[in-house]
Every structure is written in C-alpha cells, then in structure tokens.
Amino acid sequence: MTTTAITNIASLVTNDPSLGDNSPRGLIPDAAVVIEGDRVVWTGESSKAPATDSAVDASGRAVIPGFVDSHSHLLFAGDRTPEFNARMSGRPYTAGGIRTTVAATRAATDDELSANVVRYLTEALRQGTTTFETKSGYGLTVEDEARALRIAARHTDEVTYLGAHVVSPDYADDPAGYVDLVTGPMLDACAPYARWVDVFCEKGAFDGDQARAILTAGMAKGLHPRVHANQLSYGPGVQLAVELDAASADHCTHLTDADVDALAQGSTVATLLPGAEFSTRADWPDARRILDAGATVALSTDCNPGSSFTSSMPFCIALAVRDMGMTPDEALWSATAGGAAALRRTDIGRIAPGARADLVLLDAPSHVHLAYRPGVPLVQAVWQRGERTL
C-alpha cells in the first residue's frame, strides 16, 4: 500500500484527547497526517512527518474528520415543496405529512429510488460527509420496506428499519394490526438488510407501549435500537431509549429534567437535528442544557423531504452554534465524533492512528469558520477510506 502525507495543516482536529492540546478535539497546530491504504497511520507536527510515497500541501488550511451523519431518510420519491410553502405561510408541522411521500415512494421504481440515494449521497460528500446512516419508512408495506433497505444496503452499512415511521394509511382504522405487521412479517423481510430498528414515538405516530413492542421485536432479531424521541411534544421516547440502551434518542426537542438526567446517566446519545427546527419553525433543542448535564450529543441533518430537506452538515453546525447554545468546538465534535458515538463506531469521527482515513480539508485556517462563515462552501477536498474523492 502506498502512503500519502497531508502536510502544512494550520490546525488539525483529531478528536483524540491524547493528542495535541489534550482537549476533546485534540487540536494539533502546524500539523501533518499520514494515510496508508484506508487508515490513518501517523499524526503530529508537520516538521516531524515521516517520508511518504506522495504528499499534499494543505497550504495553511484546516483538516477535520469527515462528518458522520447518523440520521437521514434518503429512500424516498416525490416532492413536498407545496407543503413546505404552506408551512412557511403559517400552517404548523404534524407527523401526518409522511403519507404524501409514502404514495410517491410506492410508485417509484427501484432504479428511481437508487438514483435518488446516489444524488443525495454525492451532494453530502461534497459538503464533507463521509459516513451516513439512512432509514426506510416511506413504503410501509412488507415489499416496499424491504426493497428500500435492500437499496440502502448497497450504499452504507448503517441501515435502519423504520417500518414504524407512521401507521400505514392501509391500516388507518387498525393501528394494532399495523404494529403486528411491523413486528412480524415486515420485520422478517427487513431484518437481513438492516443493522438498526427505529420507531417514531410521538403523538400521531406510535405511543410508548407500541414503541416498546416494536423495538423489542427488532432486538430479538438482532437489530440494535434507536428512537425518534420527543420531537413534537413531551413523551416517553427518551426514557424508553435509555431503558433499552438505544444507541441514540433523536430530536430531543422537548425534554423534562428526568429525560436529561436519564441521558446523562446512560450511554444513549442525544442526536439533535436542527434542520428540522429550521424547516418547521419549531422550538430549538436546548443543547447547552443537555451538554451541561454530561450527556453525549450528536448533530445530524435528518435529511428528508418533509421536515428537513438539507444534506449539509456545515449548515447544521452553524444552526447549532447560533441557535442551540453550542460552541464551535462542541458542534464540530458532535457532527463527527458524536455521530460516530450515535452509531457506536470507534473507527470514524476522529483522525488518529488506526482510524479510518476520512478527512476533510477546509478552505479556511480553522474549523471555527464552519459557523463563522455560514452558507459558504468551505470544503476544499475530501478523503474517504483513504481515497481522495473531491
């Protein structure tokens, strides 16, 4: 395998507290990184970099880990521009809009769905995202959910079964029957393609008892739980996620003190999705409150056609800093190492020997520019698994 050095880095964020300034971000000034194959094999001061087969001069720019987007919904078809336009004109967001996308997704071909995934993955990669999770949830039949996950599995290892997105319109008068489907034949068809099981635990979707049944059925099939929790209102989602040791409780917009304490005392990551609040004009999650309690926080895009149609992690970082009480350092950590924690991964979200070589070169001297210069395309180059892709 050949080796490549990236040298003359103004500031290297490693997310390894044993490196650099010994902070959680492990910042090394005037740094270099050496890649061999798909792994990082060395980090340190640029003047001490070992000889390599090739080199890239960062020319005084910053290097950060590739973003880890641990919550997205890319298996869909159709467009919900009219809904967004109406909402921006005064209509509130509710859980029911998902059904609009269900009809379009069922009507789409496999090739159309796959092309859509590739389109948004390419879009995200240009903005520095090197790892992503994505879900089913817009088919809501055995066949459509299984094909969504089958397509997703061609593009990522982080595939989530979300048959429990909302009650299928086919079961509008029989929600218990739909739960039986989700925990029975649909789960059997979907489990071979998925790593995770998820449920939208919310008014208008699934209550606490239904969510527990769905998650425990998935766990019995070897899937690991994660939960759409406490997005639109206070509810049991966060407590259930912590009780079941879910990898993440996602949204966490409406939290009681008991919810915050549970997150701080457990290993469940609070994944915050500011794109959803931006696109629905909802209250912002209080990231400061969660962080100060000692809980682990991730940031993700929630890219979906209804409530957060963005694939930009830099945009979400800027929102988190401006409107959710996070510092630029915290927001970057949450968009990289935090996302890795929400996927229970240690090989991504950091730049240190042994980690996967997922790196982003910014056209800026510091990662702080991601929040300082919102909306500006700062990603200069991307390495994914050691290969330069941009």
Side-chain angles (χ1 to χ4, degrees):
M1 292 185 289
T2 60
T3 55
T4 300
I6 306 171
T7 62
N8 195 20
I9 300 169
S11 60
L12 172 66
V13 176
T14 68
N15 286 340
D16 186 331
S18 70
L19 300 173
D21 64 357
N22 301 120
S23 71
R25 60 183 173 150
L27 182 68
I28 305 176
D30 189 21
V33 176
V34 176
I35 299 168
E36 183 175 13
D38 67 350
R39 297 285 154 175
V40 174
V41 295
W42 185 90
T43 62
E45 296 177 19
S46 192
S47 62
K48 299 178 181 178
T52 55
D53 298 310
S54 62
V56 175
D57 187 348
S59 302
R61 298 181 177 93
V63 171
I64 62 173
F67 297 123
V68 180
D69 192 346
S70 61
H71 185 126
S72 75
H73 303 251
L74 303 185
L75 272 299
F76 70 90
D79 180 84
R80 285 163 68 178
T81 301
E83 177 189 322
F84 176 80
N85 190 37
R87 189 164 65 242
M88 293 299 101
S89 302
R91 191 176 80 196
Y93 173 67
T94 65
I98 293 166
R99 294 178 179 87
T100 304
T101 302
V102 169
T105 303
R106 289 180 179 181
T109 66
D110 287 11
D111 287 345
E112 288 169 339
L113 291 178
S114 185
N116 225 24
V117 172
V118 171
R119 173 187 174 188
Y120 296 117
L121 289 184
T122 302
E123 188 177 275
L125 184 64
R126 288 198 301 265
Q127 299 172 91
T129 297
T130 52
T131 300
F132 78 100
E133 175 270 2
T134 200
K135 311 173 192 297
S136 65
Y138 292 123
L140 309 186
T141 67
V142 172
E143 179 182 354
D144 286 305
E145 288 294 293
R147 74 168 178 144
L149 296 179
R150 188 168 59 246
I151 292 167
R154 298 172 191 162
H155 303 285
T156 181
D157 295 332
E158 303 297 346
V159 177
T160 299
Y161 167 50
L162 184 60
H165 204 175
V166 293
V167 174
S168 168
D170 308 322
Y171 285 79
D173 298 324
D174 185 17
Y178 186 65
V179 172
D180 289 342
L181 181 72
V182 168
T183 57
M186 188 183 288
L187 174 61
D188 291 341
C190 291
Y193 304 106
R195 181 184 178 200
W196 306 98
V197 59
D198 198 347
V199 60
F200 190 9
C201 184
E202 186 62 69
K203 294 177 182 177
F206 299 90
D207 65 25
D209 291 340
Q210 293 169 327
R212 181 188 299 279
I214 291 161
L215 294 172
T216 54
M219 293 167 68
K221 283 285 187 178
L223 304 182
H224 304 284
R226 48 200 326 111
V227 184
H228 281 62
N230 301 54
Q231 177 187 4
L232 306 177
S233 60
Y234 296 99
V238 164
Q239 296 285 343
L240 180 61
V242 174
E243 176 192 333
L244 296 180
D245 192 30
S248 65
D250 298 16
H251 288 289
C252 294
T253 310
H254 300 277
L255 300 179
T256 65
D257 289 345
D259 293 331
V260 175
D261 289 344
L263 289 166
Q265 294 169 16
S267 61
T268 298
V269 174
T271 300
L272 308 184
L273 309 168
E277 279 70 40
F278 177 88
S279 296
T280 61
R281 288 181 174 159
D283 294 335
W284 298 102
D286 188 348
R288 183 79 270 135
R289 178 186 178 202
I290 302 169
L291 287 164
D292 287 349
T296 301
V297 170
L299 282 178
S300 291
T301 65
D302 191 19
C303 185
N304 75 84
S307 61
S308 183
F309 204 7
T310 180
S311 58
S312 175
M313 291 288 276
F315 174 65
C316 292
I317 286 172
L319 292 180
V321 172
R322 168 63 179 79
D323 292 304
M324 289 163 44
M326 300 184 82
T327 68
D329 287 356
E330 290 168 338
L332 177 65
W333 190 95
S334 294
T336 51
L343 296 174
R344 297 201 166 162
R345 298 274 296 271
T346 59
D347 61 327
I348 56 175
R350 62 191 184 95
I351 301 174
R356 203 169 80 180
D358 293 345
L359 304 89
V360 174
L361 175 66
L362 298 177
D363 190 15
S366 166
H367 65 280
V368 177
H369 281 235
L370 291 166
Y372 181 41
R373 305 194 67 207
V376 177
L378 294 178
V379 174
Q380 178 84 10
V382 177
W383 284 260
Q384 186 178 41
R385 299 177 184 269
E387 294 290 330
R388 186 167 180 172
T389 59
L390 179 69

